């Protein structure tokens, strides 16, 4: 009798735990990222656009292997690749219970023409035709090879019945408009403290999420590892490899390493001497021990920068790029051939007219610059440091007011169309001016790869672009960084999204991880 | 009636405020960097050129500076400080959300620092030869030499993450409900608990100033003839001390007022370190993002608070110091 009672109590306790204790995942970021609507989220950093994906869905999505069906269960391009026919999944509902139909897809793209989605430009979509409730045809102004990954996989589909008639969507900050079809509903948002509470959407078309509730809090970046170690949060981000060693053998904390989607690179101004001289740029590439710089900063194994910009770990990488191994002797020889010699014996080279070989390096206060300065000094280049804050660096870069500029950013992964946008002036940020590829041949390759219908042909164009970049060297990638996501394996298992979330974002908050 | 010596006529306050409004408009725009150039660091913005142009148009950043100023002044006249270029929310809302936290934290810290610093200063001035009192001077002055961030990090390491006695970030436990039986009391205790470390950091930074000021002000009066007379009249020591304090009070009150006046942005570093959601953190983020409307709004609030406090100090000083009242009467 007693034994039966104990067993019964144990069963009841287990049932109570399973039924009564919702699984709450506590995530953190270093700042508030705005109201998660496609018009009000913060575009400063990728946190805002990724949080959007919990509430809204896209036509396609990505897992660890690449593109997968999402709102659209199937799609096919037209023979000329100027249109894509999407068949929507059956039984999708918005959070307010109304059905999501092909009309909402058409409305979304129409609405974005008037009120641009702030993360990617959708101007290429000229129109959307509704065939029936579940079938839409998205028409493009021209064939666009990255369409599926960079537009269909990024642009959130919004409900027509919520946004129709709203003419200033960025000004709407009512929680009532945050209606999506995604796996989570936003039920609480406190912008002053960056707090978000999402609860699972019971009627999600891909099944109710396994994680019942997701809470986001704010933790200063430098304290995130400590926060997850002390159990204040269940997941945190680090950018140095030492956390892997730190947590090896931990009973439940695991580390997920993303692809190396963040690049540290030097930009050369092609309009100002001496950085306008190609031999000078090549000499700098040989003078810098990029492996040592990367390993010092990452505190572990680093992925050395490829002069063709695409990381060596990426499927689109070609080993035929010019490599620039660390070779100070070669660097000196290149500079000597360009007319720079140490004429007064002070260790710094001078040009034929006696001018010291001096170059200004614009950067935020990071340790990389000390190493760069030492290595360039060793081959006779005098570096003047110009230390500025991030916003000033961005402005100087965008206006081309620099000689050499050190920048760090994500996006070096996923579809390689970034070789076009970064180097032909398509982005309104620090990638824009000063270090663009000027050759018409590169611009033509950039257009051809973007429009290529045949994947093999596209690969040839992309490889040619990498080779052209590595020879011209408007930028020198020093190293690529992985992001290290520490997580509580008792609650969740994280995985690296192929090519990064959306367009090359090394974040771990892939909604699939919350569904599995 | 003429203004008391040193007191400003109302017109002068209005003139200073007008100058500050103009300064607040131009200062953010004189900084290098643009709100739409994206920022560096990990996770840089991918802002399509068309989107940047649309944002520039929406927020009037494509207009000539004169038109932007006119738009700003017109908004100001309506009580509209514009919208954040980052979160797109009204600046007045952002300030209304953040200001109470800063006023609470800094106000509490300044008052505690004034009481502690004043008490220690009194001890040091009144009983300079006592062995224990002799320790106060080097300890408090030594405390004043420590940078704020060092004190903050020390407190975080020891009491926050080490012994885990106090929360190391935020102003309140996330998602703590205020409703329900006992909810408000629990919330208030939680807020005080969260304010402990940032508050202690601020107190540590403020105590030395109050200590030195009160000690020096009192020390100057220790041998004053009026205190001899007071003692000669047989007043007990507490009454004598009060007489001395009456003379020290105006300068201590002035410091208290000035510190409160700068409360709006005076705790920016501490708020950043402790992720405390006050005005300082708002300003810190806005400057990093070159969010002009938010920067303008915070600067304006800080300027108005400082000016208001100067005006209040004028009034209080006249009440505390009879000589100023006599000056006003002449």
């Amino acid at each position: 009798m007693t034994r039966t009672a104990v067993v019964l109590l144990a069963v009841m306790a287990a049932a109570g735990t399973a039924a009564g204790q919702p699984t709450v995942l506590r995530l953190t970021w270093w700042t508030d990222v705005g109201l998660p609507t496609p018009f009000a989220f913060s575009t400063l950093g990728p946190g805002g656009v990724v949080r959007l994906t919990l509430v809204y869905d896209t036509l396609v999505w990505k897992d660890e292997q690449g593109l997968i069906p999402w709102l659209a269960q199937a799609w096919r391009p037209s023979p000329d690749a100027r249109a894509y026919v999407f068949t929507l999944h059956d039984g999708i509902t918005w959070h307010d219970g109304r059905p999501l139909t092909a009309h909402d897809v058409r409305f979304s793209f129409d609405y974005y023409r008037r009120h641009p989605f702030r993360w990617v430009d959708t101007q290429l979509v000229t129109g959307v035709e509704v065939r029936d409730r579940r079938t839409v045809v998205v028409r493009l102004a021209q064939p666009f090879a990255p369409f599926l990954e960079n537009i269909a996989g990024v642009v959130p589909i919004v409900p027509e019945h919520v946004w129709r008639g709203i003419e200033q969507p960025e000004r709407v900050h009512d929680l009532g408009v945050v209606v999506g079809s995604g796996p989570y509903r936003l039920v609480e948002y406190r912008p002053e403290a960056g707090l978000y509470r999402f609860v699972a959407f019971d009627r999600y078309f891909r099944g109710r999420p396994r994680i019942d509730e997701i809470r986001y809090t704010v933790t200063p970046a430098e304290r995130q590892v400590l926060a997850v170690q002390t159990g204040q949060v269940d997941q945190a981000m680090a950018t140095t490899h030492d956390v892997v060693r730190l947590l090896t053998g931990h009973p439940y904390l695991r580390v997920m390493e993303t692809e190396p989607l963040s690049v540290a690179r030097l930009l050369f101004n092609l309009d100002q001497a001496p950085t306008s001289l190609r031999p000078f740029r090549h000499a700098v590439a040989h003078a810098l021990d990029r492996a040592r710089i990367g390993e010092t900063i990452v505190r572990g194994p680093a992925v050395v920068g490829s002069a063709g910009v695409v990381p060596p770990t990426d499927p689109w990488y070609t080993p035929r790029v010019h490599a620039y191994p660390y070779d100070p002797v070669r660097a000196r020889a290149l500079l000597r051939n360009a007319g720079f010699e140490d004429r007064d014996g002070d260790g710094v080279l001078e040009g034929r007219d006696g001018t010291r070989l001096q170059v200004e390096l614009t950067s935020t206060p990071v340790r990389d610059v000390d190493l760069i300065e030492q290595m360039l000094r060793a081959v006779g280049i005098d570096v003047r440091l110009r230390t500025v804050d991030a916003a000033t660096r961005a402005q100087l870069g965008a206006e081309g007011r620099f000689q050499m500029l050190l920048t760090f950013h994500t996006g070096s992964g996923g579809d390689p169309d970034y070789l076009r946008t970064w180097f032909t002036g398509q982005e309104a940020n620090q990638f824009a001016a000063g270090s663009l590829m000027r050759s018409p041949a590169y611009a033509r390759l950039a257009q051809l790869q973007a429009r290529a219908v045949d994947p093999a042909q596209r690969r040839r164009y992309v490889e040619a672009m990498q080779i052209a970049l590595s020879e011209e060297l408007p930028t020198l990638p020093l190293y690529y960084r992985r992001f290290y996501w520490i997580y509580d394996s008792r609650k969740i298992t994280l995985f690296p999204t192929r090519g990064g979330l959306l367009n090359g974002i090394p974040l771990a908050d892939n909604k699939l991880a919350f569904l599995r | 009636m003429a203004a008391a010596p040193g007191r400003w006529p109302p017109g002068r306050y209005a003139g200073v405020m007008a100058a500050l409004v103009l300064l607040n408009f131009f200062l953010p725009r004189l900084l290098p960097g643009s709100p739409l150039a994206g920022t560096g660091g990990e996770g840089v913005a991918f802002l399509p050129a068309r989107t940047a142009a649309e944002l520039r148009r929406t927020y009037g950043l494509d207009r000539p500076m004169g038109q932007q100023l006119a738009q700003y002044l017109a908004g100001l006249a309506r009580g509209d400080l514009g919208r954040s270029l980052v979160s797109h929310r009204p600046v007045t809302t952002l300030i209304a959300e953040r200001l109470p936290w800063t006023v609470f934290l800094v106000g509490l810290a300044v008052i505690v620092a004034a009481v502690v610093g004043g008490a220690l200063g009194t001890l040091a001035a009144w009983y300079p030869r006592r062995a224990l009192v002799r320790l106060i001077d080097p300890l408090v002055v030594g405390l004043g030499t420590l940078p704020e961030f060092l004190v903050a990090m020390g407190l975080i390491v020891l009491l926050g993450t080490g012994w885990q006695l106090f929360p190391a970030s935020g102003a309140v436990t996330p998602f703590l409900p205020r409703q329900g039986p006992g909810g408000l009391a629990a919330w208030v205790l939680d807020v005080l608990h969260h304010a402990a470390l940032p508050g202690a950091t601020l107190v540590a930074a403020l105590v030395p100033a109050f200590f030195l000021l009160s000690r020096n002000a009192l020390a100057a009066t220790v041998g004053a003839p009026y205190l001899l007379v007071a003692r000669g009249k047989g007043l007990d020591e507490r009454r004598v001390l009060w007489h001395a304090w009456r003379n020290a009070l105006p300068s201590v009150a002035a410091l208290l007022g000035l510190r409160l006046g700068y409360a709006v942005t005076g705790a920016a570093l501490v708020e950043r370190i402790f992720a405390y959601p006050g005005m300082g953190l708002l300003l810190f983020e806005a400057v990093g993002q070159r969010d002009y409307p938010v920067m303008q709004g915070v600067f304006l609030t800080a300027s108005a608070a400082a000016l208001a406090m100067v005006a209040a100090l004028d009034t209080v000083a006249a009440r505390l110091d009879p000589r100023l009242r006599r000056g006003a009467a002449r």
Side-chain angles (χ1 to χ4, degrees):
Chain A
M1 174 67 192
T2 312
R3 208 165 62 182
T4 313
V6 168
V7 170
L8 261 176
L9 279 173
V11 169
M12 283 166 67
T17 305
Q21 298 286 321
T23 311
V24 178
L25 193 66
R26 299 162 304 162
L27 308 181
T28 197
W29 190 245
W30 51 273
T31 183
D32 172 56
V33 295
L35 185 74
T37 77
F39 316 99
F41 73 98
S42 166
T43 51
L44 289 168
V49 73
V50 170
R51 209 157 302 180
L52 212 58
T53 65
L54 296 180
V55 177
Y56 298 91
D57 282 319
T58 46
L59 290 169
V60 298
W61 191 241
K62 286 201 283 190
D63 64 7
E64 52 272 70
Q65 304 301 324
L67 285 177
I68 56 171
W70 206 251
L71 284 179
Q73 64 181 31
W75 61 86
R76 62 181 162 79
S78 64
D80 64 356
R82 284 170 176 260
Y84 284 78
V85 182
F86 290 96
T87 306
L88 299 182
H89 204 285
D90 195 17
I92 306 171
T93 56
W94 295 107
H95 294 160
D96 59 9
R98 296 174 74 158
L100 184 153
T101 69
H103 293 280
D104 291 303
V105 178
R106 181 177 64 187
F107 172 80
S108 298
F109 282 101
D110 285 350
Y111 198 69
Y112 289 135
R113 289 181 69 76
R114 283 175 288 128
H115 309 288
F117 176 48
R118 298 183 192 279
W119 199 252
V120 295
D121 194 346
T122 59
Q123 280 295 93
L124 208 62
V125 177
T126 53
V128 178
E129 176 196 327
V130 174
R131 290 242 172 108
D132 58 47
R133 278 175 66 83
R134 287 180 51 209
T135 313
V136 284
V137 183
V138 179
R139 300 196 184 284
L140 308 179
Q142 61 194 44
F144 187 53
F147 170 72
L148 284 175
E149 187 164 351
N150 285 4
I151 294 183
V154 175
V155 175
I157 302 302
V158 296
E160 181 174 4
H161 64 276
V162 170
W163 292 101
R164 191 200 304 123
I166 296 179
E167 279 312 309
Q168 291 182 304
E170 72 280 355
R171 295 194 167 211
V172 182
H173 289 267
D174 174 10
L175 234 58
V177 299
V178 189
V179 176
S181 63
Y184 288 91
R185 293 182 298 114
L186 179 70
V187 294
E188 191 173 354
Y189 170 44
R190 295 192 196 156
E192 76 282 9
L195 302 181
Y196 297 73
R197 193 157 69 87
F198 297 94
V199 297
F201 178 35
D202 292 330
R203 296 168 63 192
Y204 192 50
F205 73 102
R206 289 188 172 271
R208 191 181 189 282
R210 191 180 59 77
I211 303 289
D212 298 300
E213 189 171 315
I214 295 175
R215 295 176 176 184
Y216 277 95
T217 56
V218 166
T219 308
E222 64 276 11
R223 298 226 303 274
Q224 289 200 6
V225 175
L226 202 57
V228 76
Q229 281 183 295
T230 52
Q232 295 166 44
V233 295
D234 300 316
Q235 179 183 310
M237 189 189 88
T239 54
T240 52
H241 183 269
D242 46 2
V243 294
V244 175
R245 285 194 302 276
L246 179 73
L247 296 170
T248 299
H250 193 282
Y252 57 85
L253 289 181
R254 302 282 177 271
V255 181
M256 184 275 280
E257 298 182 25
T258 68
E259 292 176 20
L261 298 168
S262 171
V263 59
R265 62 186 177 104
L266 274 179
L267 274 67
F268 297 107
N269 193 328
L270 304 187
D271 294 325
Q272 287 185 32
T275 47
S276 57
L277 304 171
R278 193 193 280 194
F280 175 84
R281 301 195 296 274
H282 287 194
V284 168
H286 281 297
L288 294 178
D289 186 349
R290 286 171 281 151
R292 196 181 129 212
I293 296 172
E295 284 160 11
T296 306
I297 301 302
V298 174
R299 297 183 211 156
V303 180
V304 178
S306 162
V309 179
V310 175
T313 51
D314 193 289
W316 288 95
Y317 170 77
T318 174
R320 293 190 291 131
V321 291
H322 203 96
Y324 304 101
Y326 173 53
D327 188 347
V329 175
R330 181 87 195 278
R332 280 178 206 275
L334 282 165
L335 291 169
R336 192 166 49 249
N337 292 342
F340 296 103
E341 287 184 63
D342 186 4
R343 297 172 209 280
D344 57 9
D346 68 348
V348 176
L349 307 183
E350 287 87 27
R352 291 191 181 95
D353 60 354
T355 316
R356 282 164 68 88
L357 182 54
Q358 197 173 56
V359 65
E360 186 181 76
L361 172 59
T362 303
S363 171
T364 51
V366 288
R367 286 181 61 206
D368 308 50
V369 291
D370 299 328
L371 296 167
I372 293 169
E373 187 185 16
Q374 287 166 21
M375 290 172 188
L376 292 187
R377 177 83 192 189
V379 298
I381 300 172
D382 184 24
V383 177
R384 278 183 297 122
L385 293 181
R386 186 183 187 187
T387 306
V388 295
D389 75 331
T392 304
R393 180 187 60 185
Q395 178 77 356
L396 294 173
E399 294 175 355
R401 288 159 54 201
F402 65 92
Q403 283 188 308
M404 287 200 308
L405 184 143
L406 179 62
T407 186
F408 308 83
H409 60 85
T410 60
S412 57
D415 190 280
D417 192 46
Y418 58 86
L419 295 180
R420 177 181 66 89
T421 56
W422 292 2
F423 298 105
T424 61
Q426 301 296 306
E427 302 279 2
N429 54 25
Q430 71 259 47
F431 313 146
S435 69
L436 302 178
M437 287 291 279
R438 309 289 168 80
S439 84
Y442 186 87
R444 189 163 168 274
L445 282 170
Q447 288 303 320
L448 285 171
Q449 66 78 27
R451 297 179 188 189
V453 177
D454 174 20
Q457 184 66 44
R458 188 175 185 222
R459 170 168 283 281
R460 284 195 284 279
Y461 294 140
V462 170
E463 291 188 357
M465 289 171 80
Q466 291 177 65
I467 292 165
L469 277 167
S470 72
E471 286 169 356
E472 180 65 15
L473 213 63
T475 185
L476 176 67
L478 301 176
Y479 55 92
Y480 303 94
R481 298 173 91 137
R482 300 176 192 275
F483 282 11
Y484 302 90
W485 289 92
I486 307 157
Y487 62 95
D488 186 337
S489 61
R490 297 170 303 182
K491 287 192 175 177
I492 194 168
T493 301
L494 298 181
F495 63 86
T497 305
R498 179 71 172 269
L501 273 173
L502 306 173
N503 46 356
I505 299 172
L507 263 61
D509 317 17
N510 189 323
K511 56 189 164 192
L512 262 178
F514 311 140
L515 295 172
R516 288 171 170 173
Chain B
M1 190 178 74
R7 290 188 74 178
W8 285 8
R12 193 175 294 174
Y13 282 105
V16 170
M17 198 62 216
L20 287 172
V21 166
L22 289 178
L23 196 66
N24 288 339
F25 176 81
F26 285 108
L27 205 60
R29 286 165 172 79
L30 291 174
L31 281 174
S34 151
L36 299 176
T39 62
E42 296 294 355
V44 72
F46 289 82
L47 202 58
R50 198 172 73 93
T51 307
E54 190 259 343
L55 281 172
R56 205 169 281 120
R57 198 169 47 251
T58 301
Y59 289 105
L61 296 172
D62 58 343
R63 295 182 197 160
M65 196 66 91
Q67 277 187 30
Q68 290 186 43
L69 176 61
Q71 188 186 8
Y72 172 63
L73 293 176
L76 207 57
R78 297 191 306 271
D80 177 6
L81 296 177
R83 281 176 178 265
S84 161
L85 303 175
V86 176
S87 71
H88 313 291
R89 301 173 69 227
V91 174
T92 45
T93 308
L94 296 177
I95 290 173
E97 286 168 352
R98 306 289 191 113
L99 190 58
W101 290 115
T102 293
V103 169
F104 161 69
L105 180 69
V106 183
L108 192 68
V110 170
I111 290 166
V112 170
V115 171
V116 173
L120 293 175
T122 306
L123 282 174
W126 218 245
Y127 308 106
R129 290 192 179 79
R130 292 194 184 174
L132 207 59
V133 170
R134 280 185 185 179
L135 284 176
I136 295 175
D137 201 281
L139 281 177
V140 176
V141 173
L143 185 68
T145 62
L146 294 176
E148 237 174 19
F149 76 89
L150 200 66
V151 176
M153 294 315 292
L155 288 172
I156 288 171
V157 169
L158 276 179
L159 305 178
T161 55
W163 294 334
Q164 301 196 7
L165 294 177
F166 297 100
S169 65
V172 63
T173 299
F175 310 106
L176 184 73
R178 229 186 299 189
Q179 294 80 21
L184 186 60
W187 187 85
V188 169
L189 284 176
D190 190 71
V191 167
L192 289 170
H193 196 209
H194 276 76
L197 295 189
T201 308
L202 287 173
V203 168
L206 290 167
V207 157
F210 284 105
F211 166 75
L212 290 173
L213 196 70
S214 53
R215 186 197 66 180
N216 295 347
L218 279 177
T221 66
V222 166
Y226 73 91
L227 292 186
L228 283 175
V229 171
R231 287 195 177 98
K233 280 164 63 181
L235 293 182
D236 66 37
E237 200 59 18
R238 275 190 305 180
R239 293 274 296 175
V240 174
L241 181 58
W242 172 240
H243 278 293
W245 250 107
R246 280 298 301 267
N247 275 330
L249 209 52
S251 48
V252 176
L255 180 65
L256 182 75
L258 285 173
R259 293 293 181 187
L260 286 173
Y262 294 115
V264 173
T265 53
L269 183 66
V270 171
E271 289 184 4
R272 163 68 184 82
I273 294 171
F274 290 96
Y276 201 85
M279 293 288 278
L281 189 59
L282 182 65
L283 179 64
F284 185 88
E285 291 171 349
V287 169
Q289 298 157 347
R290 300 294 191 270
D291 195 343
Y292 296 156
V294 177
M295 289 165 74
Q296 288 164 189
V298 176
F299 286 146
L300 191 68
T301 311
S303 309
L307 263 187
M309 194 49 74
V310 170
L313 277 177
D314 272 349
T315 310
V316 172
R319 284 186 173 278
L320 293 175
D321 190 340
R323 287 168 297 185
L324 290 175
R325 282 204 296 276
R326 281 199 294 276
R330 269 202 296 272

